[in-house]
């Protein structure tokens, strides 16, 4: 029986579950910290909050990492998962449940979801043709007829059964779930920031490029050349190639394809339930596609698939999730696949999905594959031991960790406008710490409390309200002209607030901490302007009252700001709260006192905890940044220095398949202008002469790339330098309908974003390309293919008789736009 009692609002938020193929780094910590801040804010507001995090432990990648480490996958995942959890505990993160996809309850739940989708008719068994090594019983992503990379036997063409999910049936429903409402109300699934929502929408809607690629016949015209974009869409609509969503968004019918949701070429995964396998008549053993397995965690963690009534009640209470926090690279999985699975299973979809940007190090996304990671432990150890430990030699390791965790929390949230990429550097960390925490908040607290200790014996004075100090309230900003100018400058460098629907997450994470910063500056200035130390020297009634009023306002500001800062700096604010004589801040938070900071001012007569007055944020020495750099280097000895420094000594990469049979690639940062090369039909002889050829817009596997021969014509260095090769990152990769060989790529060249069409669709899937750093022939004249502009070519080696392209990549971290020569 539902009760009439109004229920406490609930808030269920999740982080992505982290792959256990690598140790945690501060990129992972970033998302988890953001979740922790939001969880604490919601608890403050009295919401029944549930914060979930955990690890993603299945799939080929993990299986391989375990094999490389020489341990069984379960043991491997046990170890790495424990490292993640141990780190979150060191940092005092307040997750409510830690899920592992190897948990039996999760496996059961994921199987239940798969079964449900199958029983409802949204999963079917189908086949696709691929290359197979019979000896190894393995599918290989190489053309049939070529040697197997493992055993050398010739690959055969076989047909593999696969379970597919009918994603294509959900195109309209998904668009309508997330599209902006003309009424201005929130969509059922609110994707923020706008950039993330637009990216997902355009994926779902299909693009002009997709229409063009259908060719003129589909439109019943001779040619599409010269047709304006709007006309093209209208024409498409008249041919029923384009339809409209409820709010009027046009979408290309069929732009969404079905999705393979099982694999049978490896075993480290959750088996497709045996009843489904039987019912489908499959003869293979399938494991559930790792993303379906992983996404299901958000429900299995709170009881989906369990028979336990308590668990079921929890599921009822918390599902749908109020917020999935995700990195921007995994929005498609969360905003397209996940809601589609849920719609198909007849389950409610999450309410909000918010994408955070990336933490960059040396201008590239911090990630294991790039090797440019910064470990959270380094920051915890350095700040814990060299700053806190130095000030408080008797402190415990736990106190040091929690102190240092606050430093990292503050830095990440203050420095990076939420939703955007942000660069991490040790120098910036130390500078921000000293400026905002040691000199800012920490200094405000200690000077205020010291003055009360000195002039009022540590007791909060009475406030006569005779001074007109109303402006002293931090809630009302009255910045001085210089402060205002600084603030305006800073605001201008931040992105505009999200348009349309109000986004609480973004407000919380982007504006609040900045606002608190201005409030601290203002409070500090008031104390200085009132020249308390001078008033204190005057021995008369008026000056005594003035001093009392000033310090009352000052200490009340400290109380107010401390309450506001609590979700961001839980350890430091707890110390301040205690110094203020207010007891345990965590208790105050639970009692809802921190949600009403305006209502209850500091009570006069409160005795400060004078015995505990000690610096909250001791200053960090300048050398701390170097200490951290050295710590990182010691843990991770640098191999050959990756550099985009033009003066750096050229390095030889011996493991790169491209360089093995080619001239050495050296990496430099020259930005010298080079001419645009005309596109000449036929093979690209300059590059081929060295065994490297550009995977042109269309690779012709039937025309094997020329191997270097004795009589290849030699070229001069000047000839070679005419070809401008640059490092780029693949941002977008997608298939082009009705063009089997072509992929449409968008690449970031550091200074510009380009579209390149590349004939590698038979060899690379779009998913495996995104995020790769590759080499682009950047001064190739643009050309049109299938009506689409292609500007540049990818560099690839050509392997085997069919000329399979292998993209040239880097073993080291490399800045975008670096010149390759
Ligand atoms: N296992 C999947 C997620 C499955 S969720 C059902 C996965 N794992 S991951 O470990 O590769 O990354 C997970 C998340 O870690 C990212 O989405 C992002 O939130 C965070 N980050 C990892 N590297 C990061 C940066 N360099 N910067 C910011 N966040 C980063 O994808």
């Amino acid at each position: 029986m539902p009760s009439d009692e109004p229920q406490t609002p609930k808030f269920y938020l999740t982080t992505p579950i982290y792959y256990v193929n690598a140790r945690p780094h501060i990129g992972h910590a970033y998302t988890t910290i953001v979740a922790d801040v939001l969880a604490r804010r919601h608890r403050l507001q009295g919401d029944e909050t549930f914060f979930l995090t955990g690890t993603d432990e299945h799939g080929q990648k993990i299986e391989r990492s375990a094999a490389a480490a020489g341990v069984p996958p379960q043991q491997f995942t046990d170890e790495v998962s424990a490292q993640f959890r141990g780190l979150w505990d060191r940092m005092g993160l307040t997750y409510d449940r830690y899920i592992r996809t190897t948990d039996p309850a999760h496996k059961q739940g994921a199987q239940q979801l798969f079964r449900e989708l199958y029983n409802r008719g949204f999963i079917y068994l189908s086949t696709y043709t691929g290359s197979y090594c019979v000896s190894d019983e393995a599918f290989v992503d190489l053309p049939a007829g070529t040697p197997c990379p493992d055993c050398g036997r010739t690959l055969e063409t076989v047909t593999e059964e696969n379970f597919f999910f009918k994603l294509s049936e959900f195109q309209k429903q998904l668009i309508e779930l997330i599209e902006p409402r003309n009424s201005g109300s929130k969509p059922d699934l609110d994707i923020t920031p706008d950039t993330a929502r637009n990216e997902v929408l355009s994926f779902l809607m299909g693009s002009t490029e997709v229409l063009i690629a259908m060719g003129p016949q589909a439109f019943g015209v001779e040619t599409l050349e010269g047709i304006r974009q709007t006309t093209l869409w209208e024409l498409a609509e008249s041919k029923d190639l384009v339809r409209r969503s409820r709010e009027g968004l046009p979408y290309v019918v069929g732009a969404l394809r079905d999705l393979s949701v099982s694999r049978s070429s490896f075993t480290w995964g959750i088996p497709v339930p045996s009843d489904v396998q039987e019912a489908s008549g499959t003869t293979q053993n399938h494991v559930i596609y790792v993303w379906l397995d992983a996404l299901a965690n958000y429900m299995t963690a709170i009881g989906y698939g369990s028979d336990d009534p308590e668990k079921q009640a929890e599921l009822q209470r918390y599902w749908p999730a109020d917020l999935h926090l995700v990195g921007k690279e995994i929005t498609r999985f969360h905003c397209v696949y996940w809601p589609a699975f849920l719609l198909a299973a007849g389950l409610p979809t999450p309410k909000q999905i918010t994408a955070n940007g990336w933490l960059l190090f040396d201008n590239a996304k911090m990630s294991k594959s790039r090797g440019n990671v910064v470990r959270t432990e380094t920051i915890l150890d350095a700040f814990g031991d060299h700053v806190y430990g130095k000030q408080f030699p008797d402190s415990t390791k736990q106190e040091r960790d929690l102190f240092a965790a606050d430093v990292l929390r503050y830095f990440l949230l203050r420095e990076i406008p939420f939703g955007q990429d942000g660069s991490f550097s040790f120098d910036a960390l130390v500078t921000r710490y000293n400026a905002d925490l040691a000199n800012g908040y920490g200094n405000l607290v200690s000077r205020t409390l010291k003055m009360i200790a000195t002039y009022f014996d540590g007791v909060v004075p009475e406030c006569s309200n005779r001074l007109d100090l109303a402006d002293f309230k931090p809630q009302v900003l009255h910045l001085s002209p210089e402060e205002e100018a600084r603030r305006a400058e800073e605001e201008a460098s931040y992105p505009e607030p999200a348009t349309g629907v109000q986004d609480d997450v973004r407000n919380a994470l982007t504006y609040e901490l900045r606002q608190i910063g201005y409030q601290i500056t203002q409070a500090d200035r008031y104390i200085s302007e009132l020249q308390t130390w001078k008033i204190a020297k005057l021995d008369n009634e008026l000056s005594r009252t003035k001093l009392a009023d000033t310090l009352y306002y000052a200490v009340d500001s400290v109380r107010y700001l401390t309450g506001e800062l609590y979700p961001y700096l839980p350890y430091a604010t707890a110390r301040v709260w205690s110094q203020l004589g207010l007891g345990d801040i965590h208790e105050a938070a639970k009692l809802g006192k921190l949600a009403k900071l305006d209502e209850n001012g500091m009570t006069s007569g409160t005795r400060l905890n004078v015995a505990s007055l000690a610096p909250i944020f001791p200053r960090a020495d300048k050398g701390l940044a170097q200490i951290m750099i050295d710590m990182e280097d010691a843990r991770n000895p640098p191999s050959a220095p990756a550099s985009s420094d033009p003066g750096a000594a050229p390095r030889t990469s011996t493991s790169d398949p491209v360089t093995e049979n080619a001239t050495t690639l050296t990496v430099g940062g020259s930005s010298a202008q080079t001419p645009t090369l005309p596109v000449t039909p036929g093979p690209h002889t300059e590059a081929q002469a060295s065994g490297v050829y550009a995977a042109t817009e269309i690779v012709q596997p039937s025309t094997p790339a020329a191997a270097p021969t004795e009589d290849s014509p030699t070229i001069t260095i000047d000839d070679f330098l005419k070809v401008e090769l640059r490092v780029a990152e693949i941002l977008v990769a997608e298939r082009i309908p009705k063009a089997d060989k072509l992929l449409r790529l968008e690449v970031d060249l550091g200074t510009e974003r380009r579209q390149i069409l590349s004939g590698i669709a038979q060899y690379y899937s779009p998913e495996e390309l995104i995020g790769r750093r590759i080499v682009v022939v950047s001064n190739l004249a643009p050309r049109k293919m299938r009506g689409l502009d292609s500007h540049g070519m990818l560099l690839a080696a050509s392997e085997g008789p069919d000329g399979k392209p292998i993209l040239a990549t880097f073993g080291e971290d490399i800045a975008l736009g670096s010149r390759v020569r």
Side-chain angles (χ1 to χ4, degrees):
M1 277 287 283
S3 96
D4 289 341
E5 289 274 303
Q7 240 193 348
T8 321
K10 63 95 185 174
F11 192 78
Y12 176 32
L13 89 161
T14 66
T15 71
I17 48 171
Y18 303 105
Y19 283 132
V20 290
N21 63 317
R23 292 174 59 94
H25 57 71
I26 59 168
H28 304 116
Y30 178 49
T31 310
T32 324
I33 286 173
V34 167
D36 189 68
V37 168
L38 293 173
R40 287 177 189 266
R41 282 173 56 94
H42 278 275
R43 290 192 198 108
L44 281 187
Q45 288 158 19
D47 295 347
E48 210 174 285
T49 305
F50 195 102
F51 162 18
L52 174 73
T53 191
T55 42
D56 187 354
E57 307 187 7
H58 289 128
Q60 211 159 11
K61 179 151 78 172
I62 315 276
E63 191 178 65
R64 285 190 186 154
S65 298
V71 288
Q74 187 62 56
Q75 183 187 333
F76 182 79
T77 59
D78 286 349
E79 282 166 15
V80 183
S81 179
Q83 284 167 3
F84 273 92
R85 189 172 188 160
L87 182 61
W88 306 152
D89 291 341
R90 260 187 92 176
M91 295 171 74
L93 302 183
T94 54
Y95 59 87
D96 293 286
R97 191 152 299 152
Y98 188 84
I99 186 161
R100 300 182 53 191
T101 54
T102 50
D103 291 341
H106 168 77
K107 289 188 197 169
Q108 190 178 322
Q111 287 182 325
Q112 174 60 27
L113 181 61
F114 197 96
R115 181 182 294 113
E116 190 69 32
L117 295 174
Y118 182 81
N119 290 344
R120 286 170 171 255
F122 292 107
I123 285 183
Y124 60 94
L125 196 64
S126 185
T127 51
Y128 77 81
T129 301
S131 296
Y132 197 68
C133 173
V134 180
S135 171
D136 291 351
E137 295 288 9
F139 280 89
V140 181
D141 205 5
L142 287 171
T146 59
C148 167
D150 287 333
C151 67
R153 291 187 174 85
T154 305
L155 297 172
E156 294 174 20
T157 300
V158 294
T159 295
E160 187 190 79
E161 282 178 342
N162 231 310
F163 285 101
F164 282 84
F165 171 71
K166 292 185 182 168
L167 183 62
S168 56
E169 291 196 3
F170 292 91
Q171 186 183 19
K172 182 164 187 271
Q173 245 178 304
L174 288 169
I175 293 174
E176 293 181 346
L177 190 70
I178 67 176
E179 68 184 338
R181 297 285 160 85
N182 294 330
S183 65
S185 62
K186 276 194 185 199
D188 289 340
L189 170 51
D190 192 18
I191 299 173
T192 56
D194 289 356
T195 43
R197 179 174 61 190
N198 293 340
E199 195 187 305
V200 174
L201 269 179
S202 64
F203 173 73
L204 287 169
M205 289 159 62
S207 56
T208 304
E209 281 77 19
V210 173
L211 282 178
I212 293 174
M214 290 179 173
Q217 320 82 306
F219 295 81
V221 295
E222 295 263 297
T223 173
L224 295 176
E225 291 289 323
I227 297 189
R228 286 175 50 216
Q229 195 165 310
T230 38
T231 320
L232 185 74
W233 279 82
E234 281 162 12
L235 191 59
E237 204 169 350
S238 73
K239 298 279 170 197
D240 205 29
L241 300 171
V242 161
R243 290 190 196 145
R244 298 254 168 193
S245 70
R246 193 180 46 223
E247 303 287 323
L249 283 187
Y251 63 91
V252 182
V253 178
L256 205 56
R257 294 214 193 159
D258 287 355
L259 180 73
S260 160
V261 286
S262 76
R263 297 290 308 272
S264 53
S265 52
F266 60 91
T267 52
W268 184 240
I270 302 177
V272 166
S274 51
D275 48 328
V276 173
Q277 300 233 42
E278 268 165 37
S280 70
T282 177
T283 51
Q284 308 271 325
N285 285 327
H286 295 260
V287 293
I288 299 177
Y289 174 47
V290 69
W291 271 100
L292 174 49
D293 162 355
L295 289 161
N297 94 88
Y298 300 131
M299 288 193 73
T300 62
I302 52 168
Y304 179 81
S306 162
D307 308 325
D308 179 350
E310 241 176 68
K311 285 268 167 200
Q312 287 169 356
E314 196 169 62
L315 184 67
Q316 284 295 321
R317 174 72 179 127
Y318 288 111
W319 192 257
D322 295 85
L323 177 65
H324 290 316
L325 278 173
V326 300
K328 66 176 180 182
E329 76 288 3
I330 54 175
T331 45
R332 188 177 296 180
F333 297 97
H334 283 83
C335 304
V336 177
Y337 302 162
W338 180 225
F341 296 150
L342 293 168
L343 289 171
L347 294 163
T349 49
K351 293 186 191 156
Q352 187 178 359
I353 297 177
T354 283
N356 64 254
W358 290 336
L359 220 52
L360 312 176
F361 196 68
D362 290 341
N363 291 323
K365 181 187 177 215
M366 208 179 272
S367 70
K368 186 204 169 201
S369 53
R370 288 197 184 86
N372 61 341
V373 296
V374 172
R375 293 174 178 84
T376 309
E377 292 87 338
T378 297
I379 295 162
L380 298 186
D381 290 342
F383 273 88
D385 295 345
H386 295 273
V387 181
Y388 199 79
K390 212 158 120 193
Q391 179 78 34
F392 305 108
D394 296 336
S395 53
T396 62
K397 183 71 186 151
Q398 192 193 21
E399 288 164 342
R400 293 177 192 199
D401 280 346
L402 294 176
F403 161 83
D406 273 9
V407 176
L408 181 61
R409 293 167 78 96
Y410 181 84
F411 176 79
L412 294 176
L413 293 176
R414 179 66 180 82
E415 192 84 5
I416 304 169
F418 189 74
Q420 305 234 312
D421 292 348
S423 285
F424 178 86
S425 85
F426 290 112
D427 275 331
L429 174 65
V430 174
T431 305
R432 177 67 79 185
Y433 169 79
N434 278 334
D436 291 11
L437 295 180
N439 297 346
Y441 175 58
N443 186 46
L444 173 71
V445 172
S446 73
R447 70 194 290 208
T448 304
L449 299 198
K450 262 189 211 148
M451 281 190 290
I452 294 185
T454 310
Y455 304 126
F456 291 95
D457 241 356
V459 175
V460 175
E462 285 292 333
C463 180
S464 75
N465 286 319
R466 276 168 60 190
L467 288 180
D468 183 18
L469 287 177
D471 289 355
F472 204 142
K473 280 188 176 295
Q475 305 77 312
V476 191
L477 270 193
H478 288 277
L479 298 178
S480 70
E482 303 82 64
E483 287 163 355
E484 186 51 51
R486 235 179 300 133
R487 187 182 80 101
E489 195 184 320
E490 182 175 38
E491 294 295 320
S493 70
Y494 275 82
E496 283 295 298
T499 50
V501 180
Q502 179 75 357
D503 175 10
D504 298 338
V505 177
R506 196 180 153 103
N507 282 345
L509 299 171
T510 307
Y511 304 113
E512 193 169 272
L513 220 38
R514 265 150 61 203
Q515 182 76 4
I516 298 173
Y518 307 136
Q519 291 171 342
I520 290 170
T521 308
Q522 168 171 288
D524 224 17
R525 177 169 45 81
Y526 275 130
I527 296 177
S528 303
E529 278 172 4
L530 287 163
Q531 300 190 313
T532 11
W533 62 97
K534 275 194 191 162
I535 321 170
K537 283 193 189 133
L538 305 171
D539 192 16
N540 61 49
E541 183 60 28
L542 184 67
S543 61
R544 191 81 193 151
T545 308
K546 197 170 170 185
L547 186 64
D549 282 8
T550 307
L551 289 181
Y552 178 83
Y553 274 104
V555 78
D556 195 49
S557 298
V558 168
R559 174 198 63 85
Y560 183 88
L561 293 167
T562 300
E564 280 200 309
L565 282 169
Y566 171 70
Y568 303 94
L569 301 171
Y571 180 69
T573 52
R575 291 183 60 221
V576 176
W577 206 253
S578 153
Q579 292 188 357
L580 286 170
L582 296 175
D584 184 347
I585 200 168
H586 309 298
E587 276 303 309
K590 268 191 210 141
L591 296 172
K593 289 188 183 163
L594 303 190
K596 297 178 192 140
L597 292 165
D598 265 335
E599 284 177 19
N600 310 300
M602 196 78 191
T603 311
S604 299
T606 305
R607 180 161 287 283
L608 301 184
N609 196 347
V610 185
S612 69
L613 294 192
I616 300 297
F617 290 113
R619 264 192 81 78
D621 288 341
K622 279 221 173 80
L624 189 65
Q626 193 55 48
I627 290 180
M628 290 188 280
I629 293 168
D630 293 346
M631 283 165 80
E632 277 292 287
D633 285 351
R635 280 181 174 164
N636 185 18
S639 42
S643 172
S644 55
D645 171 7
R651 277 179 300 120
T652 310
S653 161
T654 48
S655 60
D656 193 316
V658 174
T659 59
E660 267 167 12
N661 59 358
T663 50
T664 305
L665 294 181
T666 60
V667 178
S670 158
S671 60
Q673 290 294 314
T674 24
T676 300
L677 297 174
V679 181
T680 42
H684 297 269
T685 46
E686 293 98 329
Q688 278 184 4
S690 59
V692 181
Y693 88 117
T696 59
E697 301 87 331
I698 297 188
V699 176
Q700 300 289 359
S702 53
T703 330
T709 57
E710 291 298 322
D711 54 4
S712 293
T714 51
I715 57 165
T716 66
I717 187 71
D718 289 343
D719 287 336
F720 174 67
L721 287 176
K722 281 186 200 153
V723 184
E724 188 182 272
L725 302 170
R726 289 203 180 271
V727 178
E729 179 169 316
I730 302 180
L731 303 175
V732 174
E734 57 190 25
R735 292 187 196 281
I736 299 178
K738 303 198 179 145
D740 292 349
K741 293 177 183 154
L742 274 187
L743 285 184
R744 190 184 77 81
L745 308 175
E746 282 176 38
V747 304
D748 182 356
L749 272 165
T751 46
E752 60 176 308
R753 190 170 167 141
R754 289 226 189 135
Q755 172 168 286
I756 298 178
L757 303 193
S758 183
I760 53 175
Q762 290 167 312
Y763 305 95
Y764 286 94
S765 69
E767 300 76 42
E768 65 186 309
L769 288 174
I770 291 170
R772 273 214 198 186
R773 295 217 160 182
I774 44 134
V775 181
V776 163
V777 182
S778 57
N779 61 335
L780 197 68
R783 57 176 293 193
K784 271 209 186 305
M785 296 164 61
R786 302 219 167 204
L788 301 177
D789 282 332
S790 178
H791 192 182
M793 294 195 298
L794 315 190
L795 201 67
S798 164
E799 196 190 64
D802 287 342
K804 172 183 160 56
I806 309 261
L807 287 177
T809 51
F810 296 90
E812 289 97 5
D813 180 25
I814 174 78
L816 292 183
S818 300
R819 180 102 194 245
V820 181
R821 52 196 172 168

